[in-house]
Amino acid sequence: MCGIIGIASSKPVSINIINSLKKLEYRGYDSAGIATLKDQLINERKCSGRVDELEKILLKSPSDGNIGIGHVRWATHGIPNLINAHPHSSENVSVVHNGIIENSDELKKILEDKGSKFKSQTDTEVITLLITEALKNMEPLDAVFKTLKDLKGSFALGIIFKDFPDIIIGARRGSPLAVGYSSNENYLGSDSYALKSMTNKISYLDDGETCVLTKNSISFFDVKKNKINKKVHIVSDDENISDKGNYKNFMSKEIFEQPITAKKCVNEYIDSLKKDINILNFPIRPKELKKIVLVGCGTAYHSCLVAKYWFEELSSIEVEIDIASEFRYRKIKFDPKNLYIFVSQSGETADTAAALDICKKNKVKTCSVVNVIESTIARNSDWVLPIHAGPEIGVASTKAFLGQLIVLYILCLKISSVRGDINKSNYNKNIENLKKLPDAIKKTLTLETNIQLMAKEFLNARGSMFLGRGSSFPIALEGALKLKELSYLHAEGYPAGEMKHGPLALIEEGLPVIVIAPKDKYFEKTLSNMQEVIARGGKIFFITDNKKDSISENIRFGLRVPHLDNFLSSILLAVPLQMLAYHVALLKNCDIDKPRNLAKSVTVE
Ligand code: M6R
């Protein structure tokens, strides 16, 4: 993961580097660092904590210079500490790196045999020392190209040179890298978001490309060092990007923004006048589609799982789903009649991007359901369906999950209707219900006070289970993921009917068990599974959209969300689970927006 930034300017750059690093913290927050060049000296400032800490260090001990690079780390090689924090510098070169150098051990050995001394346990330091070696008899660009040839793995790099104080070199293989243009100032960054406060003119490097920045120029090179031109994109302005408003943290803001997310998304895709869904330009005509393959990671994978139930219920189409890190290594029989859909909030998740690349290599049609429309996954897919959720800053995905579900549901309705799998009256009814979704989410959010009380019951728990059947099973998985990610409490999501095949052994007196039971065809079955848990001492938290009287005495806590229809209940039932995880984490004083060991965008394998 990690975030990198570089600025070449006619004025001091450290403040702008710090500001950009704050925006990049979603990529990692194990350590932060900056290196600037002044009077032919590389000046490093680093800390083992967050960017705020680095800013304090810089206030006490400023680091001037009109050219510089910065980094936020998500540790891969070497523990998160000061020594392993980037940049990694020799006397002549300083490097920031996002990605993994797979042959770093081998390269380290070669360098050590030649007398190089390593200070850190990182893979990055081999890059610094290889470039330092090469610079003994080469110009910077040649030295970088020579080094790149030796590296295996994925990376985005930013490099400055003591003896060439006007240039920053950037290189991309696998990990994303953008450059930004301004007057008397140019930028390098892991994404356009980090550069947005400084410029909206962006170019994206493709795999194998390298760039050289000065304050007045940017040159691009392909893998063979031929000069190339790159398209300049004008990126959109996002409102309220980094403003928490009156909320304690981004996650609570994002949870409470969900009625707006739903409204925006529904308005974008539903043509109210025509009473139709305005999804056009299908890369394969819906009637000719053989199979839909949905791929994602984490929460995005859970939205694929929910969508599978919807497609199976509403359409005649076959659906397959997979976790991107599995998909990319499977021996898949690709079929040009299939549509391969990649779901990703960030659009930068390495496994999902790699799975998409494999599809492209196999010449099949791809679609992405993304939040960040300038992202790698969006740019690389044949067809993009944006979720319109706006920037999601909290590491735990909430409003983006909601947006993914809405877009996948809308796509499912459209495909089912074009194929003639649902009749016009049902299609219209489903669209009308969708329009009621924002208000139903608003009502669901009023459950917060009850959820706060419920959260207290998890404080002394040793673990927890989330159970559901049908499309409530992936919602159970998502509830469990949210709870473990935010509160560090062990949580497992299970199909309720599967409990007796093993997990029932985990039930002991007082274990919190969250039962997700909308009034659908599974309702009675889920109630029976719940009784099996009650009989063994499990403490039940029951979440339904059924009438109040279905919340019986044996239940410790009951919550009821509004009922729209059996499809939209999945979306509504996810909301109390987000709030539950949030409040348990808050009571446990966990870092809500930046849970330990995680990052918002997972750009390593
Ligand atoms: O950006 P993506 O949607 O591709 O990210 C996928 C997962 O890393 C992400 O959903 C992760 O599971 C969330 N932190 C969960 O809240």
Side-chain angles (χ1 to χ4, degrees), residues 387-400:
I387 63 168
H388 302 290
E392 188 182 67
I393 311 291
V395 164
S397 190
T398 52
K399 64 175 183 171

Side-chain angles (χ1 to χ4, degrees), residues 297-300 343-347 349 352 395-397 404 481-482 485 600 602:
C297 298
T299 290
V343 182
S344 172
Q345 184 285 129
S346 62
T349 301
T352 315
V395 164
S397 190
Q404 289 161 357
L481 175 63
K482 286 284 99 85
E485 171 177 40
K600 181 74 183 158
V602 185

Side-chain angles (χ1 to χ4, degrees), residues 554-575:
N554 284 329
I555 289 167
R556 175 77 184 175
F557 240 99
L559 291 177
R560 187 174 170 270
V561 304
H563 176 82
L564 288 176
D565 61 38
N566 286 348
F567 305 106
L568 296 176
S569 60
S570 307
I571 299 180
L572 292 168
L573 289 161
V575 176

Side-chain angles (χ1 to χ4, degrees), residues 223-239:
V223 74
K224 292 188 176 141
K225 211 152 61 80
N226 299 314
K227 255 195 163 182
I228 50 169
N229 294 320
K230 297 293 293 179
K231 191 173 162 197
V232 180
H233 302 256
I234 305 295
V235 294
S236 58
D237 282 344
D238 289 307
E239 61 304 340

Side-chain angles (χ1 to χ4, degrees), residues 416-429:
S416 310
S417 128
V418 178
R419 287 167 71 95
D421 296 332
I422 50 171
N423 61 35
K424 187 77 186 142
S425 111
N426 277 343
Y427 182 61
N428 287 346
K429 202 170 86 200

Side-chain angles (χ1 to χ4, degrees), residues 405-420:
L405 290 178
I406 295 174
V407 170
L408 290 170
Y409 181 57
I410 287 174
L411 180 67
C412 168
L413 283 181
K414 183 73 182 181
I415 290 179
S416 310
S417 128
V418 178
R419 287 167 71 95

Side-chain angles (χ1 to χ4, degrees), residues 112-323:
E112 278 174 339
D113 288 347
K114 286 187 189 163
S116 293
K117 295 264 177 288
F118 282 81
K119 291 179 263 184
S120 75
Q121 294 120 33
T122 65
D123 50 344
T124 307
E125 210 179 343
V126 297
I127 308 173
T128 307
L129 296 182
L130 283 172
I131 299 175
T132 306
E133 268 296 301
L135 275 174
K136 286 180 183 161
N137 45 23
M138 280 177 203
E139 294 288 294
L141 190 60
D142 293 323
V144 169
F145 265 87
K146 179 175 186 307
T147 301
L148 295 182
K149 279 198 193 120
D150 291 337
L151 303 179
K152 287 193 186 132
S154 68
F155 49 80
L157 303 174
I159 312 153
I160 54 173
F161 306 83
K162 174 182 85 93
D163 296 325
F164 301 86
D166 300 327
I167 61 168
I168 302 178
I169 295 187
R172 173 188 176 166
R173 196 190 290 158
S175 309
L177 195 60
V179 297
Y181 308 76
S182 188
S183 64
N184 276 326
E185 201 163 271
N186 288 313
Y187 319 96
L188 189 71
S190 291
D191 63 21
S192 58
Y193 172 55
L195 309 180
K196 257 181 191 170
S197 61
M198 302 180 287
T199 182
N200 65 348
K201 283 194 206 139
I202 301 287
S203 292
Y204 298 98
L205 268 75
D206 287 312
D207 260 353
E209 291 177 352
T210 301
C211 63
V212 181
L213 267 76
T214 71
K215 64 181 182 197
N216 296 318
S217 67
I218 306 180
S219 317
F220 297 96
F221 302 87
D222 68 11
V223 74
K224 292 188 176 141
K225 211 152 61 80
N226 299 314
K227 255 195 163 182
I228 50 169
N229 294 320
K230 297 293 293 179
K231 191 173 162 197
V232 180
H233 302 256
I234 305 295
V235 294
S236 58
D237 282 344
D238 289 307
E239 61 304 340
N240 302 328
I241 288 179
S242 49
D243 182 9
K244 285 197 273 245
N246 291 327
Y247 292 94
K248 274 199 183 112
N249 41 55
F250 281 106
M251 185 187 178
S252 56
K253 177 176 177 250
E254 286 155 9
I255 290 176
F256 278 86
E257 267 172 8
Q258 290 183 108
I260 305 170
T261 309
K263 199 168 188 168
K264 237 174 149 181
C265 199
V266 169
N267 285 347
E268 287 289 336
Y269 287 99
I270 306 286
D271 185 329
S272 286
L273 284 178
K274 287 196 207 145
K275 294 198 168 140
D276 200 358
I277 290 168
N278 52 14
I279 294 188
L280 306 164
N281 306 324
F282 279 89
I284 304 174
R285 285 202 286 202
K287 281 190 178 158
E288 286 159 21
L289 264 176
K290 192 168 148 201
K291 183 157 85 171
I292 284 179
V293 181
L294 291 152
V295 181
C297 298
T299 290
Y301 169 67
H302 295 157
S303 60
C304 299
L305 256 167
V306 176
K308 180 180 159 81
Y309 284 94
W310 288 336
F311 273 103
E312 283 175 353
E313 202 66 43
L314 285 166
S315 82
S316 56
I317 203 156
E318 197 189 327
V319 185
E320 187 185 319
I321 47 164
D322 208 350
I323 292 172

